[in-house]
């Protein structure tokens, strides 16, 4: 039976993962009078700087996990690759929100596509690939170009190979095998958008406006809201996101990434059972931002108001870009830095929200 009992202020939320998302969740929880306890193997985790309660241990350290579970009232996470055994171990001790089912589905591209297809939600045409022969057959069926991906642990373009023609099959397979793979048809999308949606234990679901996302070197560069898409496309994207959390019986916040075809048709690229980089704009222009919304859902509180009060462009600060932040400050500019010591290439160091007067939609 679903536990719908709201946790009171002063409760402790355990967060698996100590990156910037964990840090921003801890900050949002503190605003609601909550304590947070971060569990992360990396002693340099940015989230450790915003709460005194931490565990530095491996995700398979059962003694550390048991002590962590004892110290908290509810457990959530900031990344989808929490090992299944860790999630199962913790879930027997304290409520885990979102649940282990959402984690299992979103950790595996094939499980995710099967779930979405079963829910009548359109995804990129795909085939499972476990051998070179599978790949060659899938390339005949789906055509070229196509994208070969590992089914697990891929992010920011890692674990992917674009196959332009069939002659490239062998080298792409060699680069990613023996991991289980999936071949996707290459989608000639016009835009990429995402919807961040939350659902609580009472079944109340609320979505933020769709964001239009631009990637650079496979890493999110900007999220612009409102997205320049037709009203009907925006409505459908929100409907699909709400349908996904409903079908999952989900509690917490979920990011849904879509490809928008030139016809306006939507295909779901992937889902992430956590706060999402393409939702960072909400902190500058929404009554309730994505971090507070996730915390509210995890606490069994009523969800907040996701209304957007202004137009906004969120820009990620990657690597050395963070050093230029002071020069970019001006009217309507809200910076958020993650406190990471070393600005390595490709590392997300912070983001900037550029806020402008509201022009369109809702
Ligand atoms: P992913 O890790 O699946 O989110 O892929 C990262 C990025 O690669 C996406 O945001 C797209 O820009 C691009 N991409 C991934 N899969 C495809 C595809 N099947 N067709 C076209 N572009 C893709």
């Amino acid at each position: 039976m679903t536990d719908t009992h709201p946790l009171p202020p002063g409760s402790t939320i355990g967060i698996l993962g100590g990156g910037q998302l964990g840090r921003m969740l801890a900050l949002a929880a503190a605003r609601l009078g909550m304590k947070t306890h971060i569990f992360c193997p990396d002693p340099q985790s940015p989230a450790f700087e915003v709460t005194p309660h931490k565990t530095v241990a491996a995700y398979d350290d059962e003694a550390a996990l048991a002590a962590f579970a004892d110290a908290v009232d509810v457990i959530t996470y900031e990344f989808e690759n929490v090992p299944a055994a860790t999630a199962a171990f913790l879930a027997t001790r304290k409520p885990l929100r979102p649940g282990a089912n959402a984690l299992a589905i979103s950790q595996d591209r094939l499980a995710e596509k099967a779930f979405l297809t079963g829910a009548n939600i359109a995804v990129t045409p795909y085939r499972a690939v476990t051998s070179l022969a599978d790949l060659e057959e899938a390339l005949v069926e789906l055509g070229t170009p196509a994208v070969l991906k590992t089914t697990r642990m891929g992010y920011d373009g890692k674990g992917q190979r674009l196959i332009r023609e069939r002659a490239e099959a062998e080298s792409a397979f060699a680069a990613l095998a023996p991991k289980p793979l999936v071949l996707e048809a290459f989608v000639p999308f016009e835009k990429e958008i995402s919807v961040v949606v939350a659902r609580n234990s009472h079944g109340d679901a609320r979505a933020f406006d769709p964001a239009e996302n631009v990637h650079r070197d496979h890493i999110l560069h900007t999220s612009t809201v409102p997205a320049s898409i037709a009203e009907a496309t925006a409505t459908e994207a929100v409907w699909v996101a709400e349908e996904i959390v409903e079908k999952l019986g989900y509690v917490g916040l979920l990011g849904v990434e879509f490809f928008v075809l030139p016809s306006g048709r939507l295909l779901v690229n992937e889902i992430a059972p956590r706060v999402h980089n393409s939702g960072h704009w909400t902190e500058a222009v929404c009554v309730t931002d994505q971090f507070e919304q996730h915390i509210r859902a995890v606490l069994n509180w009523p969800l907040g108001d996701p209304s957007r009060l202004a137009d906004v462009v969120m820009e990620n600060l990657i690597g050395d870009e963070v050093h230029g932040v002071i020069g970019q400050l001006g009217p309507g500019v809200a910076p958020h830095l993650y406190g990471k010591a070393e600005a390595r290439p490709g590392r997300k160091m912070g983001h900037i929200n550029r806020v402008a007067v509201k022009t369109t939609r809702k």
Side-chain angles (χ1 to χ4, degrees), residues 109 149 160 184-187 189 192 215 259 269-270:
R109 292 186 192 272
K149 301 181 178 180
Q160 302 195 10
E184 292 180 9
F186 183 84
V187 179
F189 58 79
E192 292 185 88
H215 294 84
F259 295 134
N269 172 29
E270 63 181 8

Side-chain angles (χ1 to χ4, degrees), residues 28-353:
R31 280 206 314 269
L32 298 181
M34 302 293 164
K35 297 181 171 62
T36 47
H37 184 132
I38 310 284
F39 189 113
C40 190
D42 178 0
Q44 305 300 328
S45 297
F48 288 161
E49 295 194 3
V50 301
T51 175
H53 313 292
K54 65 173 178 179
T55 300
V56 181
Y59 290 118
D60 61 358
D61 179 338
E62 290 199 349
L65 289 169
F68 168 73
D70 282 347
V72 304
D73 298 297
V74 63
I75 299 169
T76 189
Y77 42 88
E78 59 132 34
F79 69 117
E80 59 272 44
N81 289 318
V82 174
T86 305
F89 181 87
L90 291 172
T92 59
R93 287 166 166 77
K94 285 290 156 68
L96 177 73
R97 300 183 186 132
N101 176 43
L103 260 181
I105 287 175
S106 58
Q107 282 176 354
D108 185 297
R109 292 186 192 272
L110 283 172
E112 187 174 294
K113 289 176 196 299
F115 159 74
L116 292 167
T117 306
N120 280 323
I121 292 167
V123 299
T124 309
Y126 71 98
R127 295 285 183 278
V129 169
T130 52
S131 65
L132 183 56
D134 282 351
L135 176 58
E136 278 167 350
E137 196 180 314
L139 282 167
V140 171
E141 287 171 7
L142 299 179
T144 51
V147 187
L148 187 64
K149 301 181 178 180
T150 55
T151 58
R152 303 177 76 87
M153 302 294 273
Y155 69 99
D156 289 348
K158 295 186 173 65
Q160 302 195 10
R161 285 286 182 290
L162 177 67
I163 301 179
R164 286 179 207 82
E165 49 192 70
R166 278 159 63 182
E168 293 174 357
E170 200 168 340
S171 64
F173 184 78
L176 300 177
K179 297 190 175 116
L181 305 173
V182 56
L183 185 75
E184 292 180 9
F186 183 84
V187 179
F189 58 79
E190 194 175 79
K191 289 177 194 306
E192 292 185 88
I193 63 166
S194 58
V195 173
V196 169
V197 60
R199 183 177 178 278
N200 68 10
S201 55
H202 300 280
D204 186 20
R206 297 200 191 165
F208 293 92
D209 284 355
E212 181 169 339
N213 301 320
V214 173
H215 294 84
R216 225 174 41 183
D217 303 328
H218 292 284
I219 300 173
L220 182 66
H221 175 43
T222 56
S223 291
T224 300
V225 194
S228 57
I229 51 176
E231 188 70 44
T233 309
T235 305
E236 189 191 333
V238 165
W239 182 85
V240 168
E242 290 177 350
E243 187 73 2
I244 292 171
V245 286
E246 186 57 40
K247 289 256 160 69
L248 283 172
Y250 192 82
V251 176
L253 191 119
L254 178 106
V256 185
E257 296 178 24
F258 298 89
F259 295 134
V260 186
L261 301 182
S263 64
R265 186 161 178 255
L266 290 172
L267 300 177
V268 172
N269 172 29
E270 63 181 8
I271 62 176
R274 53 170 169 78
V275 287
H276 204 254
N277 193 167
S278 74
H280 290 359
W281 60 273
T282 61
E283 70 182 0
V285 297
C286 291
V287 177
T288 301
D289 69 23
Q290 66 162 346
F291 304 101
E292 179 177 330
Q293 196 72 306
H294 181 74
I295 295 295
R296 285 188 186 218
V298 163
L299 292 171
N300 283 340
W301 281 25
L303 293 180
D305 177 357
S307 299
R308 181 173 59 83
L309 306 175
D311 289 1
V312 61
V313 179
M314 188 287 307
E315 184 177 333
N316 269 335
L317 299 171
I318 307 294
D320 281 340
E321 286 168 5
V322 70
H323 300 311
V325 70
I326 296 172
Q328 299 204 46
L329 303 181
V333 175
H336 192 147
L337 305 186
Y338 308 147
K340 296 182 183 176
E342 205 190 333
R344 292 194 291 271
R347 196 173 194 205
K348 291 176 181 166
M349 301 297 293
H351 63 268
I352 280 183
N353 278 312

